[in-house]
Amino acid sequence: MAGISKIRNWGWVLFFLAPSLLGLLIFIVYPITSSFWVAFHEWNLLSPPEFVGLANFQELWTDADFWRALRYTLLFIVMYVPSVFVLGLALALLLNTKITGISFVRTATFLPVVASWVVVSLIWKWIFNPAYGLVNYGLAGIGIEGPAWLFSPTTAMYAIVITSIWKDVGYIALLYLGGLQSISEIYYEAAEIDGAGQWQKLKNITLPLLTPTMFFVLITLLINYFQMFEQIWLMPMPNSSADRQLEVIVTEVVKNAFSYNRMGYASAMSWVLFAIIFVITFAQLKLQDRWVYYELD
Amino acid sequence: MNSINKQTITKMGLYLIMAVIVIVMVVPFVWMLSTSLKSQEYILQTTPQLIPDPVTAESYVQLAERIEIFRIFFNSAFVAVMTTLGQILVSAMAAFAFARMEWRGRDTVFLLYLATMMVPAVVLVIPQFILVRSLGWINTYAGLIVPTLFSAFGTFLLRQSFLSLPKDFEEAAFVDGANRFTIFWRIILPLSQPALATLAIFSFMGSWNAYLWPLFAARRPEVMTLPVALGVLQSGPRALTEWNIVMAGAVVTVIPILLVYLLAQRWFVGGITAGGLKA
Amino acid sequence: MSRKLGLFIVSLMLIISIIPAVAQDNVTIRYFTFSAAPDHLEDLDAIIADFETQNEGITVEVTTAPFGDYFTLLQADVVSGDAPDVFELNYENFVTYAANGTLLDISEYLSGDAPYYPRALEAFQYEGVQLALPETFSTVLLFYNADLFDEAGVDYPTEEWTWDVATLAAEAINALGEDTWGIYQPVQFWEFYKKAAQNGDCEFFNEDMTESTINSEACVETLEMMMSFMENGLMPTAAELSGVSDSELFLNGDVGMIVTGIWMFGAFAEADFNWDVQIEPAINQHAHHFFANGVAVSSTTEHAEAAAAWAEFLTASETAAQVRVDSAWELPALDQPAYFENYLELTPPGNREAVFLALESPVTPPVIERQNEMQDAVNGLITQYVDGMLTAQEALDQAKDAIDALIQ
């Protein structure tokens, strides 16, 4: 009896899993293995790939541009992730209330999310414009001379972090909202019967039950932002030192793949990035037992 | 008396915060809209003007003249809708297998899914392009839709959501004689509407705004999508001074997703009772 | 059941009968271009229409892409075994494609009497083999705001001007007001190699291209000269420009002189002041950018003759030349003054002869196989010099090291 139900179980697993897994294998995993193979070659796409063994990886080790890109990527993550993680949660808690007009606010926060980075960068380049933009105009009003934001690497970083938070906070809040609203009523009713106040409800029910969502948000943020690309590609002012020096890993990958015709080197770089992300995610997965609750006791 | 004042102050404080948030979020887009409604001569002004004077729709007319806007709009819409439906179905089924069923190797396979999200998409484009070309799907809707159905993100999102539903549901349903699929379709999915709505929004948005893959896979006007068409528009030397047309294109791109969001939001909120803090 | 079967057989027969009609001697040539979109698709169609009339049985199918994405897409096509039959190339990328065997030797298909500029034809030869045909050329000139010159009481630029004279003029115009600048000439790679040629003693490479000589005394001098405009307040820095492009600066009437390409004639026609062009001033001699686009036939094409016929028609026929000139869609690289008569009549600018005068001192970019990496490296170092983080000598020393590494 157990044998048959095991087979039946596998039958069901396959039924549910097959479309996704098959598609993934064909359209994602196969190209991934392809790119892994390419990482050991020098390939300009016009001629057949040339095997070079570990040369690309060795070159990466001593490539100053790569290390600079890694530094900037880490810098961005350290500045951006905690900010948007916390702000998104605060915003979600606010949006989850029943104040009149709150759904209007919710829609407003989602506007930046739906716009593409092409549009957002156009708008914010203008806002950060040193001579005509709102930011420096406001700063001048309180007596501070604003810097040439998107012209030099450090100030450009700040500007891009701010723009990214503006763009993404609605998205993060939405993810949290999904989690918040999935928390079963039962828990709150039981707590109310026990006489719990707002703060206690938050601490003992909401936050713990929100941890699966928080876990999802954290992992998604890290995976996505190690691979960040568009804002660094679009925001710095053309031909400024921000433009020439502010690079993250994926912009280096794109440059090497499509501008320098070095597909092999670009693939090698992507795989090093993958390794970094993988290790970090794996660590998070292992750590999740310590802080993620899927059900309340 | 005091407690009422305190409540009023809190409320007013909240309203103030809300107002600030709305302004911060919305003003940049108002500027975008207003630029699209300006006529050519007024764009290169050094003092930015928020309200255009005169208001004109000529940039939209010019937009329609330069690119086959209706066909391209339809392409984007069709591809986005099919991609969203496909992604939701495929991801929900896989998430169900990961979250509500026990099987050997489950966590390892899930790790594989996660791992696929960690490789930058840019290096995959060329192998994917060669693959899709050999399938004969270049410049077809299939080529735009099918390869994008299998992102691990949707599966991950729904898995987390499915995991947070109490386990008792299945047991009760089994006792009643239901099979897996019924549980999936009639219990898990309806209870996960917020997460499904969230995924719907992101899927739609991802497909609607996608530039890199459609650039390679759909170059003919019959299948071209909006971002690629706008990219062509922005590439000529005249684009430097024709910001109103560029912004018109941006407006046309943003409005549909906003509508989708408003629609999905209703689905999202509708299935909810008092789940959170009360003000 | 039999009814359905009958229907099926009839449909099958209909389909089969259509096929022969389609699979005639008709040859379809696929042409990929970046210069036609978004502004000149109709002009291209006009050229195609004429070609198809003169060549029955050949159809030309056009695909376009924006310049920024064009070469990526072209490479993707080549690598997936589906290269277009005919495609456009610019001069800098020509060498890469030629060196990798992707281009067909077109010389055997040429009619032989097409009036190409010899220099242009040579530009698209690789190791002596004609691998592409010159399609259009453009050049870079000195544009000046005549009204500002009048206001400052300075004579207009002449063919004999040197940069010393130009500097004096810039100073006079700059003095007109706080928001008025004397000149704008970007400090970057393309301007640098041209200025190097104007200097005459600065070479980027040694004779046999085995070593870079970009850090020679003459080159350092040239770079410092380019920077002097900004140092002396005659030219705005990037921060002072604040995101306004040099073209916008000129169109707003805020700068007296600007060095830019003839492709801006159309955009500048909107200016509300008088302007004109002149050949660039000399340092020790004249030198002007010569940018050329070419058209090549894929080495994997199945219709070499038809493809070559289209390539030649597109680049050398009278129809194509007229269409281009009339629509200001770059200039055909043909030695036929008659074609350019209309072009010379148009204003603004009035001094269109300068366009052709500039051709007497052409400079092409130094091209190596790892071209983009070299450009990025040099530009990166020049920017550091402009920002004051390196001296000119330091920047060029590092540039030399970078370039040497790339030509290994």
Side-chain angles (χ1 to χ4, degrees), chain A residues 43-45 47 129 131 151 241 244-245 258-262, chain C residues 72 75 79 100 238 242 370 372-373 376 379-380 383-384 387:
Chain A
W43 193 27
N44 67 4
L45 292 187
S47 289
N129 189 300
F151 288 88
S241 50
R244 305 225 186 271
Q245 287 164 32
F258 295 133
S259 198
Y260 299 165
N261 298 337
R262 297 191 66 198
Chain C
T72 308
Q75 284 171 333
V79 77
N100 281 281
S242 280
R370 292 172 75 170
N372 288 328
E373 287 174 86
D376 281 359
N379 271 331
T383 312
Q384 287 189 15
D387 286 349

PDB file of all heavy atoms in Angstrom, chain A residues 43-45 47 129 131 151 241 244-245 258-262, chain C residues 72 75 79 100 238 242 370 372-373 376 379-380 383-384 387:
ATOM      1  N   TRP A  43      35.811  34.454 -26.956  1.00  0.00           N
ATOM      2  CA  TRP A  43      34.823  34.357 -28.033  1.00  0.00           C
ATOM      3  C   TRP A  43      34.318  35.736 -28.406  1.00  0.00           C
ATOM      4  O   TRP A  43      33.754  36.426 -27.575  1.00  0.00           O
ATOM      5  CB  TRP A  43      33.652  33.492 -27.563  1.00  0.00           C
ATOM      6  CG  TRP A  43      32.727  33.057 -28.639  1.00  0.00           C
ATOM      7  CD1 TRP A  43      33.031  32.879 -29.961  1.00  0.00           C
ATOM      8  CD2 TRP A  43      31.356  32.718 -28.495  1.00  0.00           C
ATOM      9  NE1 TRP A  43      31.927  32.442 -30.652  1.00  0.00           N
ATOM     10  CE2 TRP A  43      30.877  32.338 -29.766  1.00  0.00           C
ATOM     11  CE3 TRP A  43      30.474  32.684 -27.425  1.00  0.00           C
ATOM     12  CZ2 TRP A  43      29.571  31.941 -29.999  1.00  0.00           C
ATOM     13  CZ3 TRP A  43      29.167  32.286 -27.648  1.00  0.00           C
ATOM     14  CH2 TRP A  43      28.725  31.925 -28.915  1.00  0.00           C
ATOM     15  N   ASN A  44      34.510  36.142 -29.674  1.00  0.00           N
ATOM     16  CA  ASN A  44      33.976  37.435 -30.082  1.00  0.00           C
ATOM     17  C   ASN A  44      32.715  37.294 -30.914  1.00  0.00           C
ATOM     18  O   ASN A  44      32.293  38.227 -31.571  1.00  0.00           O
ATOM     19  CB  ASN A  44      35.045  38.239 -30.838  1.00  0.00           C
ATOM     20  CG  ASN A  44      35.392  37.592 -32.165  1.00  0.00           C
ATOM     21  OD1 ASN A  44      34.795  36.588 -32.560  1.00  0.00           O
ATOM     22  ND2 ASN A  44      36.362  38.154 -32.856  1.00  0.00           N
ATOM     23  N   LEU A  45      32.120  36.152 -30.897  1.00  0.00           N
ATOM     24  CA  LEU A  45      30.879  35.850 -31.589  1.00  0.00           C
ATOM     25  C   LEU A  45      31.030  35.727 -33.087  1.00  0.00           C
ATOM     26  O   LEU A  45      30.239  35.066 -33.741  1.00  0.00           O
ATOM     27  CB  LEU A  45      29.776  36.871 -31.288  1.00  0.00           C
ATOM     28  CG  LEU A  45      29.226  36.905 -29.870  1.00  0.00           C
ATOM     29  CD1 LEU A  45      28.045  37.833 -29.794  1.00  0.00           C
ATOM     30  CD2 LEU A  45      28.817  35.523 -29.416  1.00  0.00           C
ATOM     31  N   SER A  47      33.816  34.685 -34.738  1.00  0.00           N
ATOM     32  CA  SER A  47      34.603  33.492 -35.042  1.00  0.00           C
ATOM     33  C   SER A  47      34.330  32.441 -33.990  1.00  0.00           C
ATOM     34  O   SER A  47      33.821  32.764 -32.925  1.00  0.00           O
ATOM     35  CB  SER A  47      36.098  33.832 -35.040  1.00  0.00           C
ATOM     36  OG  SER A  47      36.425  34.621 -36.142  1.00  0.00           O
ATOM     37  N   ASN A 129      19.959  67.663 -11.289  1.00  0.00           N
ATOM     38  CA  ASN A 129      20.766  68.580 -12.082  1.00  0.00           C
ATOM     39  C   ASN A 129      21.357  69.675 -11.188  1.00  0.00           C
ATOM     40  O   ASN A 129      20.632  70.312 -10.442  1.00  0.00           O
ATOM     41  CB  ASN A 129      19.870  69.176 -13.166  1.00  0.00           C
ATOM     42  CG  ASN A 129      20.655  69.978 -14.163  1.00  0.00           C
ATOM     43  OD1 ASN A 129      21.307  70.947 -13.819  1.00  0.00           O
ATOM     44  ND2 ASN A 129      20.601  69.549 -15.406  1.00  0.00           N
ATOM     45  N   ALA A 131      22.521  72.648 -11.704  1.00  0.00           N
ATOM     46  CA  ALA A 131      22.154  74.044 -11.921  1.00  0.00           C
ATOM     47  C   ALA A 131      20.645  74.266 -11.922  1.00  0.00           C
ATOM     48  O   ALA A 131      20.176  75.272 -11.419  1.00  0.00           O
ATOM     49  CB  ALA A 131      22.745  74.529 -13.230  1.00  0.00           C
ATOM     50  N   PHE A 151      27.811  63.728 -11.484  1.00  0.00           N
ATOM     51  CA  PHE A 151      29.040  63.931 -12.247  1.00  0.00           C
ATOM     52  C   PHE A 151      30.238  63.251 -11.629  1.00  0.00           C
ATOM     53  O   PHE A 151      31.186  62.908 -12.323  1.00  0.00           O
ATOM     54  CB  PHE A 151      29.329  65.432 -12.386  1.00  0.00           C
ATOM     55  CG  PHE A 151      28.390  66.113 -13.329  1.00  0.00           C
ATOM     56  CD1 PHE A 151      27.195  66.616 -12.902  1.00  0.00           C
ATOM     57  CD2 PHE A 151      28.717  66.226 -14.670  1.00  0.00           C
ATOM     58  CE1 PHE A 151      26.320  67.227 -13.779  1.00  0.00           C
ATOM     59  CE2 PHE A 151      27.861  66.842 -15.561  1.00  0.00           C
ATOM     60  CZ  PHE A 151      26.654  67.343 -15.112  1.00  0.00           C
ATOM     61  N   SER A 241      33.199  61.926 -14.887  1.00  0.00           N
ATOM     62  CA  SER A 241      33.995  60.886 -14.236  1.00  0.00           C
ATOM     63  C   SER A 241      33.088  59.872 -13.547  1.00  0.00           C
ATOM     64  O   SER A 241      33.488  58.728 -13.341  1.00  0.00           O
ATOM     65  CB  SER A 241      35.024  61.468 -13.273  1.00  0.00           C
ATOM     66  OG  SER A 241      34.426  62.378 -12.414  1.00  0.00           O
ATOM     67  N   ARG A 244      32.527  57.365 -16.237  1.00  0.00           N
ATOM     68  CA  ARG A 244      33.657  56.533 -16.607  1.00  0.00           C
ATOM     69  C   ARG A 244      34.134  55.642 -15.480  1.00  0.00           C
ATOM     70  O   ARG A 244      34.758  54.623 -15.717  1.00  0.00           O
ATOM     71  CB  ARG A 244      34.818  57.416 -17.077  1.00  0.00           C
ATOM     72  CG  ARG A 244      34.438  58.355 -18.192  1.00  0.00           C
ATOM     73  CD  ARG A 244      35.482  58.372 -19.278  1.00  0.00           C
ATOM     74  NE  ARG A 244      35.180  59.386 -20.275  1.00  0.00           N
ATOM     75  CZ  ARG A 244      34.426  59.165 -21.340  1.00  0.00           C
ATOM     76  NH1 ARG A 244      33.903  57.976 -21.533  1.00  0.00           N
ATOM     77  NH2 ARG A 244      34.179  60.135 -22.181  1.00  0.00           N
ATOM     78  N   GLN A 245      33.858  56.020 -14.235  1.00  0.00           N
ATOM     79  CA  GLN A 245      34.422  55.240 -13.144  1.00  0.00           C
ATOM     80  C   GLN A 245      33.406  54.476 -12.325  1.00  0.00           C
ATOM     81  O   GLN A 245      33.748  53.518 -11.661  1.00  0.00           O
ATOM     82  CB  GLN A 245      35.190  56.149 -12.195  1.00  0.00           C
ATOM     83  CG  GLN A 245      36.499  56.609 -12.782  1.00  0.00           C
ATOM     84  CD  GLN A 245      37.056  57.775 -12.025  1.00  0.00           C
ATOM     85  OE1 GLN A 245      36.849  57.868 -10.819  1.00  0.00           O
ATOM     86  NE2 GLN A 245      37.721  58.657 -12.728  1.00  0.00           N
ATOM     87  N   PHE A 258      29.257  42.997 -24.960  1.00  0.00           N
ATOM     88  CA  PHE A 258      28.674  43.602 -26.148  1.00  0.00           C
ATOM     89  C   PHE A 258      29.471  44.744 -26.724  1.00  0.00           C
ATOM     90  O   PHE A 258      29.237  45.149 -27.836  1.00  0.00           O
ATOM     91  CB  PHE A 258      27.253  44.078 -25.840  1.00  0.00           C
ATOM     92  CG  PHE A 258      26.322  42.942 -25.513  1.00  0.00           C
ATOM     93  CD1 PHE A 258      25.481  43.004 -24.427  1.00  0.00           C
ATOM     94  CD2 PHE A 258      26.315  41.806 -26.287  1.00  0.00           C
ATOM     95  CE1 PHE A 258      24.634  41.955 -24.132  1.00  0.00           C
ATOM     96  CE2 PHE A 258      25.470  40.751 -26.001  1.00  0.00           C
ATOM     97  CZ  PHE A 258      24.621  40.832 -24.915  1.00  0.00           C
ATOM     98  N   SER A 259      30.402  45.268 -25.972  1.00  0.00           N
ATOM     99  CA  SER A 259      31.157  46.396 -26.495  1.00  0.00           C
ATOM    100  C   SER A 259      32.575  45.967 -26.840  1.00  0.00           C
ATOM    101  O   SER A 259      33.139  46.400 -27.829  1.00  0.00           O
ATOM    102  CB  SER A 259      31.173  47.501 -25.437  1.00  0.00           C
ATOM    103  OG  SER A 259      31.519  48.707 -26.014  1.00  0.00           O
ATOM    104  N   TYR A 260      33.151  45.120 -25.992  1.00  0.00           N
ATOM    105  CA  TYR A 260      34.520  44.687 -26.239  1.00  0.00           C
ATOM    106  C   TYR A 260      34.589  43.354 -26.964  1.00  0.00           C
ATOM    107  O   TYR A 260      35.682  42.847 -27.201  1.00  0.00           O
ATOM    108  CB  TYR A 260      35.279  44.547 -24.918  1.00  0.00           C
ATOM    109  CG  TYR A 260      35.407  45.816 -24.113  1.00  0.00           C
ATOM    110  CD1 TYR A 260      35.796  45.765 -22.785  1.00  0.00           C
ATOM    111  CD2 TYR A 260      35.154  47.067 -24.662  1.00  0.00           C
ATOM    112  CE1 TYR A 260      35.940  46.903 -22.020  1.00  0.00           C
ATOM    113  CE2 TYR A 260      35.279  48.217 -23.906  1.00  0.00           C
ATOM    114  CZ  TYR A 260      35.677  48.133 -22.589  1.00  0.00           C
ATOM    115  OH  TYR A 260      35.825  49.265 -21.833  1.00  0.00           O
ATOM    116  N   ASN A 261      33.473  42.778 -27.277  1.00  0.00           N
ATOM    117  CA  ASN A 261      33.440  41.483 -27.961  1.00  0.00           C
ATOM    118  C   ASN A 261      34.166  40.385 -27.202  1.00  0.00           C
ATOM    119  O   ASN A 261      34.830  39.555 -27.813  1.00  0.00           O
ATOM    120  CB  ASN A 261      34.059  41.607 -29.362  1.00  0.00           C
ATOM    121  CG  ASN A 261      33.275  42.562 -30.229  1.00  0.00           C
ATOM    122  OD1 ASN A 261      32.117  42.812 -29.994  1.00  0.00           O
ATOM    123  ND2 ASN A 261      33.929  43.099 -31.234  1.00  0.00           N
ATOM    124  N   ARG A 262      34.050  40.387 -25.876  1.00  0.00           N
ATOM    125  CA  ARG A 262      34.743  39.338 -25.111  1.00  0.00           C
ATOM    126  C   ARG A 262      33.709  38.545 -24.333  1.00  0.00           C
ATOM    127  O   ARG A 262      33.610  38.672 -23.108  1.00  0.00           O
ATOM    128  CB  ARG A 262      35.778  39.961 -24.180  1.00  0.00           C
ATOM    129  CG  ARG A 262      36.880  40.685 -24.923  1.00  0.00           C
ATOM    130  CD  ARG A 262      37.998  41.032 -23.986  1.00  0.00           C
ATOM    131  NE  ARG A 262      38.655  39.821 -23.494  1.00  0.00           N
ATOM    132  CZ  ARG A 262      39.435  39.784 -22.415  1.00  0.00           C
ATOM    133  NH1 ARG A 262      39.640  40.870 -21.717  1.00  0.00           N
ATOM    134  NH2 ARG A 262      39.991  38.666 -22.041  1.00  0.00           N
TER     135      ARG A 262
ATOM    136  N   THR C  72      25.529  44.645 -31.523  1.00  0.00           N
ATOM    137  CA  THR C  72      25.207  43.482 -30.706  1.00  0.00           C
ATOM    138  C   THR C  72      24.260  42.557 -31.460  1.00  0.00           C
ATOM    139  O   THR C  72      24.443  41.336 -31.507  1.00  0.00           O
ATOM    140  CB  THR C  72      24.529  43.933 -29.409  1.00  0.00           C
ATOM    141  OG1 THR C  72      25.337  44.934 -28.803  1.00  0.00           O
ATOM    142  CG2 THR C  72      24.362  42.772 -28.468  1.00  0.00           C
ATOM    143  N   GLN C  75      26.000  40.808 -34.368  1.00  0.00           N
ATOM    144  CA  GLN C  75      26.805  39.676 -33.896  1.00  0.00           C
ATOM    145  C   GLN C  75      25.924  38.488 -33.558  1.00  0.00           C
ATOM    146  O   GLN C  75      26.272  37.346 -33.844  1.00  0.00           O
ATOM    147  CB  GLN C  75      27.581  40.070 -32.645  1.00  0.00           C
ATOM    148  CG  GLN C  75      28.775  40.927 -32.934  1.00  0.00           C
ATOM    149  CD  GLN C  75      29.379  41.458 -31.661  1.00  0.00           C
ATOM    150  OE1 GLN C  75      28.705  41.611 -30.658  1.00  0.00           O
ATOM    151  NE2 GLN C  75      30.649  41.736 -31.708  1.00  0.00           N
ATOM    152  N   VAL C  79      26.380  34.865 -35.193  1.00  0.00           N
ATOM    153  CA  VAL C  79      26.725  33.692 -34.405  1.00  0.00           C
ATOM    154  C   VAL C  79      25.634  32.616 -34.484  1.00  0.00           C
ATOM    155  O   VAL C  79      25.909  31.434 -34.341  1.00  0.00           O
ATOM    156  CB  VAL C  79      26.997  34.068 -32.931  1.00  0.00           C
ATOM    157  CG1 VAL C  79      25.706  34.305 -32.173  1.00  0.00           C
ATOM    158  CG2 VAL C  79      27.789  32.979 -32.246  1.00  0.00           C
ATOM    159  N   ASN C 100      37.574  38.766 -39.032  1.00  0.00           N
ATOM    160  CA  ASN C 100      36.979  37.498 -38.632  1.00  0.00           C
ATOM    161  C   ASN C 100      36.305  36.757 -39.773  1.00  0.00           C
ATOM    162  O   ASN C 100      35.539  35.827 -39.547  1.00  0.00           O
ATOM    163  CB  ASN C 100      35.965  37.732 -37.506  1.00  0.00           C
ATOM    164  CG  ASN C 100      36.652  37.914 -36.176  1.00  0.00           C
ATOM    165  OD1 ASN C 100      37.055  36.950 -35.549  1.00  0.00           O
ATOM    166  ND2 ASN C 100      36.803  39.150 -35.757  1.00  0.00           N
ATOM    167  N   ALA C 238      31.937  70.081 -17.492  1.00  0.00           N
ATOM    168  CA  ALA C 238      30.744  69.248 -17.495  1.00  0.00           C
ATOM    169  C   ALA C 238      29.764  69.714 -16.429  1.00  0.00           C
ATOM    170  O   ALA C 238      28.559  69.791 -16.662  1.00  0.00           O
ATOM    171  CB  ALA C 238      31.130  67.787 -17.278  1.00  0.00           C
ATOM    172  N   SER C 242      25.967  71.183 -16.826  1.00  0.00           N
ATOM    173  CA  SER C 242      24.833  70.634 -16.088  1.00  0.00           C
ATOM    174  C   SER C 242      23.878  69.842 -16.943  1.00  0.00           C
ATOM    175  O   SER C 242      22.676  70.048 -16.900  1.00  0.00           O
ATOM    176  CB  SER C 242      24.052  71.762 -15.399  1.00  0.00           C
ATOM    177  OG  SER C 242      24.708  72.122 -14.233  1.00  0.00           O
ATOM    178  N   ARG C 370      40.987  45.540 -30.616  1.00  0.00           N
ATOM    179  CA  ARG C 370      40.246  45.771 -29.377  1.00  0.00           C
ATOM    180  C   ARG C 370      39.925  47.264 -29.250  1.00  0.00           C
ATOM    181  O   ARG C 370      40.300  47.916 -28.286  1.00  0.00           O
ATOM    182  CB  ARG C 370      41.051  45.248 -28.199  1.00  0.00           C
ATOM    183  CG  ARG C 370      41.148  43.716 -28.251  1.00  0.00           C
ATOM    184  CD  ARG C 370      42.089  43.144 -27.218  1.00  0.00           C
ATOM    185  NE  ARG C 370      41.492  43.185 -25.889  1.00  0.00           N
ATOM    186  CZ  ARG C 370      42.027  42.581 -24.835  1.00  0.00           C
ATOM    187  NH1 ARG C 370      43.168  41.912 -24.949  1.00  0.00           N
ATOM    188  NH2 ARG C 370      41.456  42.672 -23.658  1.00  0.00           N
ATOM    189  N   ASN C 372      37.081  49.203 -28.875  1.00  0.00           N
ATOM    190  CA  ASN C 372      36.270  49.824 -27.836  1.00  0.00           C
ATOM    191  C   ASN C 372      36.987  49.880 -26.503  1.00  0.00           C
ATOM    192  O   ASN C 372      36.836  50.830 -25.739  1.00  0.00           O
ATOM    193  CB  ASN C 372      34.944  49.067 -27.681  1.00  0.00           C
ATOM    194  CG  ASN C 372      34.045  49.320 -28.860  1.00  0.00           C
ATOM    195  OD1 ASN C 372      34.078  50.386 -29.449  1.00  0.00           O
ATOM    196  ND2 ASN C 372      33.246  48.343 -29.220  1.00  0.00           N
ATOM    197  N   GLU C 373      37.780  48.837 -26.229  1.00  0.00           N
ATOM    198  CA  GLU C 373      38.514  48.854 -24.967  1.00  0.00           C
ATOM    199  C   GLU C 373      39.527  49.996 -24.965  1.00  0.00           C
ATOM    200  O   GLU C 373      39.723  50.668 -23.955  1.00  0.00           O
ATOM    201  CB  GLU C 373      39.219  47.517 -24.751  1.00  0.00           C
ATOM    202  CG  GLU C 373      38.253  46.415 -24.383  1.00  0.00           C
ATOM    203  CD  GLU C 373      38.920  45.061 -24.313  1.00  0.00           C
ATOM    204  OE1 GLU C 373      39.447  44.739 -23.251  1.00  0.00           O
ATOM    205  OE2 GLU C 373      38.913  44.349 -25.329  1.00  0.00           O
ATOM    206  N   ASP C 376      37.624  53.317 -24.455  1.00  0.00           N
ATOM    207  CA  ASP C 376      37.192  53.488 -23.071  1.00  0.00           C
ATOM    208  C   ASP C 376      38.377  53.800 -22.157  1.00  0.00           C
ATOM    209  O   ASP C 376      38.288  54.647 -21.267  1.00  0.00           O
ATOM    210  CB  ASP C 376      36.482  52.221 -22.578  1.00  0.00           C
ATOM    211  CG  ASP C 376      35.048  52.162 -23.075  1.00  0.00           C
ATOM    212  OD1 ASP C 376      34.630  53.104 -23.774  1.00  0.00           O
ATOM    213  OD2 ASP C 376      34.359  51.179 -22.772  1.00  0.00           O
ATOM    214  N   ASN C 379      39.610  57.382 -22.881  1.00  0.00           N
ATOM    215  CA  ASN C 379      38.631  58.344 -22.386  1.00  0.00           C
ATOM    216  C   ASN C 379      38.613  58.403 -20.875  1.00  0.00           C
ATOM    217  O   ASN C 379      38.488  59.477 -20.287  1.00  0.00           O
ATOM    218  CB  ASN C 379      37.235  57.987 -22.911  1.00  0.00           C
ATOM    219  CG  ASN C 379      36.952  58.644 -24.244  1.00  0.00           C
ATOM    220  OD1 ASN C 379      37.468  59.717 -24.542  1.00  0.00           O
ATOM    221  ND2 ASN C 379      36.139  58.001 -25.057  1.00  0.00           N
ATOM    222  N   GLY C 380      38.708  57.243 -20.240  1.00  0.00           N
ATOM    223  CA  GLY C 380      38.719  57.225 -18.772  1.00  0.00           C
ATOM    224  C   GLY C 380      39.880  58.042 -18.212  1.00  0.00           C
ATOM    225  O   GLY C 380      39.728  58.830 -17.284  1.00  0.00           O
ATOM    226  N   THR C 383      39.429  61.785 -18.814  1.00  0.00           N
ATOM    227  CA  THR C 383      38.490  62.365 -17.853  1.00  0.00           C
ATOM    228  C   THR C 383      39.163  62.628 -16.523  1.00  0.00           C
ATOM    229  O   THR C 383      38.906  63.640 -15.878  1.00  0.00           O
ATOM    230  CB  THR C 383      37.291  61.429 -17.632  1.00  0.00           C
ATOM    231  OG1 THR C 383      36.793  60.995 -18.885  1.00  0.00           O
ATOM    232  CG2 THR C 383      36.189  62.127 -16.872  1.00  0.00           C
ATOM    233  N   GLN C 384      40.030  61.712 -16.116  1.00  0.00           N
ATOM    234  CA  GLN C 384      40.736  61.948 -14.854  1.00  0.00           C
ATOM    235  C   GLN C 384      41.629  63.171 -14.956  1.00  0.00           C
ATOM    236  O   GLN C 384      41.781  63.938 -13.997  1.00  0.00           O
ATOM    237  CB  GLN C 384      41.573  60.712 -14.489  1.00  0.00           C
ATOM    238  CG  GLN C 384      40.715  59.561 -14.027  1.00  0.00           C
ATOM    239  CD  GLN C 384      41.533  58.417 -13.471  1.00  0.00           C
ATOM    240  OE1 GLN C 384      42.702  58.569 -13.168  1.00  0.00           O
ATOM    241  NE2 GLN C 384      40.916  57.277 -13.335  1.00  0.00           N
ATOM    242  N   ASP C 387      39.408  66.216 -14.720  1.00  0.00           N
ATOM    243  CA  ASP C 387      38.947  66.455 -13.359  1.00  0.00           C
ATOM    244  C   ASP C 387      40.068  66.857 -12.433  1.00  0.00           C
ATOM    245  O   ASP C 387      39.846  67.062 -11.245  1.00  0.00           O
ATOM    246  CB  ASP C 387      38.276  65.195 -12.806  1.00  0.00           C
ATOM    247  CG  ASP C 387      36.918  64.982 -13.424  1.00  0.00           C
ATOM    248  OD1 ASP C 387      36.428  65.901 -14.099  1.00  0.00           O
ATOM    249  OD2 ASP C 387      36.355  63.897 -13.238  1.00  0.00           O
TER     250      ASP C 387
END
